[in-house]
Amino acid sequence: MAKLEDLKRGARVRGIALGGIVTVVDIRWHGSDIVELTYKDDQGRLAGELLFRTQEAGLFVEAP
């Protein structure tokens, strides 16, 4: 399990997109419990999503 604070540019994260690992492109905080995440999937497609503190249990930062 990862915390929202573990999501940094370049981090590879599992649990955001279905069935894959994404790479964090940018992160923007909205208060202390919500982040706006821009990421790239393994096919190079960009996407964005709001992540809430309640979703942390499903996030995993992969080791480099």
Side-chain angles (χ1 to χ4, degrees):
M1 178 179 97
K3 297 227 177 249
L4 294 180
E5 289 80 7
D6 297 330
L7 303 176
K8 310 271 188 218
R9 288 182 183 159
R12 297 202 21 94
V13 183
R14 190 168 29 100
I16 295 173
L18 291 177
I21 296 173
V22 301
T23 301
V24 176
V25 173
D26 196 24
I27 187 166
R28 182 174 165 202
W29 283 90
H30 297 277
S32 61
D33 293 325
I34 303 169
V35 295
E36 182 178 354
L37 193 70
T38 303
Y39 61 87
K40 182 171 54 171
D41 66 16
D42 284 336
Q43 287 75 42
R45 294 179 294 227
L46 285 174
E49 188 169 336
L50 288 177
L51 295 176
F52 298 84
R53 183 79 57 197
T54 56
Q55 294 172 276
E56 288 179 326
L59 301 176
F60 300 90
V61 175
E62 299 291 319

